[in-house]
Amino acid sequence: MLSNLATRDVETLIHPYTNLDAHRANGPLVLERGQGVHVYDTEGRPYIEGMAGLWCTALGYSNAELVEAAAAQMGRLPFSHLFSGRSHDPAIELAEVLKELMPIPTSKVFFTSSGSEANDTQVKLAWYYNNALGRRAKKKIIGRSRGYHGVTVATASLTGLQANHADWDLPLPGFLHTACPHHYRFAEAGESEEAFSARLADELEQMILREDPDTVAAFIAEPVMGAGGAIVPPRGYFQAIQTVLARYDVRFIADEVICGFGRLGTWFGSEALGMAPQTLSFAKAVTSGYVPLGGITVDEPLYAAMVDQSAKLGTFGHGTTYSGHPVACAVALKAIEIYRRDRIIEGAAEKAPHFQARLARLAEHDIVGEARGIGLIGGLEIVADKRTKAQYDPKAGVAARCVAFAQAEGLIVRFLTGDRVAVCPPLIITPDEIDALFDRLSRALDRTRDWIRSEGLGAAA
C-alpha cells in the first residue's frame, strides 16, 4: 500500500531513468531533508547518500553558507541574464575564478544550466568553429561506447548507452562511438593495460581514417566514466588517445561534469589522469548541486573564431535564459571558497586511499568480479562466475536488487549498465562514515548473493 505522498507522486510525476511501469507499483523513496552525508525519508529514517545525490553534492546537505549565499543573492538580484551585453557581478567574478582554476589555457567561460547543456554547446561550437575556418565538412564527433554526456538530442547522440538510443531514433548522423576503455571487461586474454590502451588508440585512429580526418571535428571523453559504470581508464589510455587526436587536428573535449571540483582528489579529473583537452565541460559540484549551473571553457583560437563569426553574422546566436543565473553563480562562488578554505580537495585526496582500500576488499566477495576506482569514486561489477567473468541475464536485474538491499541497509548507491554498482559520496565524508558506507554495501552484497541462490540464477546463456 503506497503512502499518500507516494500515491500523489505516481499520479503526477514522470521520473527520469526509471522503469515507469514498475514505479506505479513500487512508488518512490520520498526524501524530506538532508544533513551532512545523510538524507532522511518521510519516516525519519537516515540513509548515507552514497551517490552524492547524482554525483554532485560534494559539500553534503544543508550547508548553511551555501544556503545563505543563495538567500543573499535572491534578496539583491534574484535574476538577470547575459543576453545583448548585459552582465552582473556574480557571473563576472565566477568566470574570473574559474579561469584561474582551470587546468588548461582558458580565454573565456560560457555558462549553462546543466552538464547536458554544456556538452550540447560543445557540439554546436565544434561545428561553428569549423564553419568559421571554412572547414565545412569537419563536423563528425566521436564519443565512446558507455560514455555519458547528457540527454539533449545532440548529447544523447554523444552518449554511448543503449537506453539513451533505443526508440529515441538516436544517435543522429555524424555521431560516432569508439570502444569503451574498460580493461576488466574488454581486454583480450593476457593483454596488459598499456597494450589495451595502445589497441584502443589504434582503433580510434582507424575510425578517423575510415571516416576521413577532414570530416572529424572532435572527440569527447569523461576522465572516469560515470553512468557507463564508474570505469577508470587503463594506464596510458589518454596519453595514447591524445597522440592520435593531435595527429588529425581533432579537438579534445573533456567532460568534467562528474569529475570536476575534487572528485578524484584534484580540482579536475584531467589533472589526475594526464589529460590535455582544448576545452572542458563542468556542472554538478560547481555549486555542490544546490543550484543548477554548468558551463564550458573557451580557448583563445575558438574565441577568436566566435568573434569573427559574430561580426560577420551580426550576433552570436546561442544562449539560454538561465545562462549565468546570478543565484547559481553566487552559490558557486561560495562553494569554491569553501573548497579552498576548508581544503576539501586535499581532504578528498587524503581520504582516497582508505576509500579505495575498502572498495578493493569488495572484490573478494563471492559475486563481485571487479571493484576499482580512483579518488572518492568507485564501481564494482557483479558477476555469475568470477573466473570466466560470465554475467547474469540483464533481465534478472541483479545490480538493481543489490541497490534495493543497500537502501534497506540505509545506503543509497546506484546500479548502472552491465550489473555495475557505483559509489560516489560527498567529499566531506569522514573515515568513519566511509567504513559505515562499505559495511552497509557489504551486507547488501551478502543479501544479493543469498537472493541469487534462492532464485536459482545462473550465468546468461
Side-chain angles (χ1 to χ4, degrees):
M1 182 77 176
L2 298 182
S3 69
N4 180 48
L5 267 177
T7 299
R8 288 161 57 194
D9 171 283
V10 167
E11 295 305 321
T12 56
L13 290 175
I14 296 293
H15 288 262
Y17 290 95
T18 300
N19 182 322
L20 300 179
D21 181 59
H23 183 70
R24 292 196 63 80
N26 300 329
L29 170 65
V30 182
L31 299 175
E32 191 170 65
R33 64 187 180 91
Q35 186 68 50
V37 302
H38 293 87
V39 291
Y40 298 79
D41 66 18
T42 51
E43 303 299 317
R45 186 180 181 202
Y47 303 82
I48 295 175
E49 204 353 318
M51 282 304 298
L54 271 177
W55 325 85
C56 54
T57 53
L59 296 174
Y61 291 81
S62 302
N63 183 292
E65 291 183 88
L66 297 184
V67 173
E68 182 181 349
Q73 186 60 46
M74 288 281 273
R76 186 164 53 249
L77 181 67
F79 173 75
S80 187
H81 60 78
L82 301 180
F83 282 49
S84 304
R86 285 195 192 178
S87 197
H88 49 78
D89 286 353
I92 295 167
E93 185 178 352
L94 180 58
E96 290 173 339
V97 169
L98 288 170
K99 281 185 64 174
E100 293 175 5
L101 286 177
M102 289 301 162
I104 57 175
T106 299
S107 176
K108 304 293 182 289
V109 175
F110 180 84
F111 289 120
T112 67
S113 298
S114 68
S116 288
E117 285 184 4
N119 286 329
D120 195 272
T121 296
Q122 294 280 22
V123 171
K124 291 182 69 177
L125 286 181
W127 294 340
Y128 193 77
Y129 176 63
N130 282 303
N131 285 337
L133 298 181
R135 305 188 302 195
R136 293 188 172 272
K138 199 170 177 69
K139 299 294 175 60
K140 296 171 186 173
I141 302 181
I142 301 175
R144 301 179 298 173
S145 175
R146 294 201 184 183
Y148 183 83
H149 304 290
V151 295
T152 67
V153 171
T155 60
S157 295
L158 288 177
T159 291
L161 294 168
Q162 181 61 22
N164 294 90
H165 296 164
D167 285 344
W168 293 106
D169 292 349
L170 297 173
L172 295 175
F175 291 87
L176 311 169
H177 297 90
T178 192
C180 173
H182 188 193
H183 183 265
Y184 171 80
R185 180 51 59 189
F186 300 117
E188 296 173 354
E191 189 175 35
S192 70
E193 291 194 23
E194 291 84 355
F196 180 53
S197 294
R199 176 163 64 85
L200 294 192
D202 181 65
E203 289 179 9
L204 174 62
E205 182 166 27
Q206 296 310 309
M207 173 181 281
I208 293 171
L209 290 172
R210 283 195 309 273
E211 296 293 329
D212 180 355
D214 290 338
T215 71
V216 180
F219 170 85
I220 187 168
E222 306 153 273
V224 173
M225 282 184 163
I231 295 167
V232 179
R235 286 186 292 273
Y237 174 74
F238 281 115
Q239 291 77 5
I241 290 293
Q242 287 168 168
T243 298
V244 173
L245 300 178
R247 186 175 297 143
Y248 300 105
D249 191 19
V250 175
R251 282 176 65 81
F252 182 13
I253 304 166
D255 182 343
E256 290 269 11
V257 170
I258 285 174
C259 295
F261 302 95
R263 179 55 53 187
L264 306 190
T266 52
W267 275 97
F268 292 92
S270 295
E271 299 167 275
L273 294 172
M275 299 166 65
Q278 279 75 45
T279 174
L280 65 80
S281 301
F282 62 87
K284 294 190 184 290
V286 67
T287 65
S288 191
Y290 280 43
V291 185
L293 180 67
I296 71 165
T297 65
V298 176
D299 54 287
E300 186 58 34
L302 174 58
Y303 176 64
M306 293 165 67
V307 171
D308 288 346
Q309 281 296 89
S310 67
K312 181 175 73 174
L313 300 174
T315 189
F316 173 63
H318 177 70
T320 59
T321 301
Y322 302 114
S323 173
H325 193 289
V327 177
C329 290
V331 173
L333 283 165
K334 180 57 67 172
I336 292 171
E337 177 187 324
I338 295 169
Y339 290 140
R340 284 171 155 167
R341 183 195 68 210
D342 295 348
R343 299 182 68 254
I344 298 297
I345 283 75
E346 294 86 346
E350 291 162 5
K351 289 177 281 194
H354 179 52
F355 180 92
Q356 293 300 327
R358 286 301 312 260
L359 174 67
R361 278 167 52 185
L362 295 180
E364 301 168 7
H365 197 279
D366 299 349
I367 62 171
V368 175
E370 180 191 46
R372 184 181 180 188
I374 181 174
L376 294 184
I377 189 172
L380 62 86
E381 186 162 322
I382 297 174
V383 295
D385 188 310
K386 291 170 73 77
R387 182 183 62 83
T388 66
K389 305 179 186 178
Q391 297 178 293
Y392 291 101
D393 186 333
K395 294 179 182 178
V398 173
R401 181 68 62 156
C402 180
V403 167
F405 285 135
Q407 183 173 305
E409 293 287 343
L411 170 66
I412 294 175
V413 287
R414 191 176 183 204
F415 68 90
L416 303 168
T417 185
D419 270 340
R420 292 185 65 84
V421 176
V423 186
C424 176
L427 300 185
I428 62 166
I429 193 168
T430 67
D432 286 346
E433 289 166 339
I434 289 172
D435 285 332
L437 184 158
F438 284 106
D439 287 346
R440 295 179 191 189
L441 183 53
S442 182
R443 291 196 296 271
L445 287 166
D446 289 343
R447 294 175 67 171
T448 305
R449 176 197 57 209
D450 295 342
W451 171 78
I452 287 169
R453 290 172 178 172
S454 70
E455 294 293 314
L457 297 181

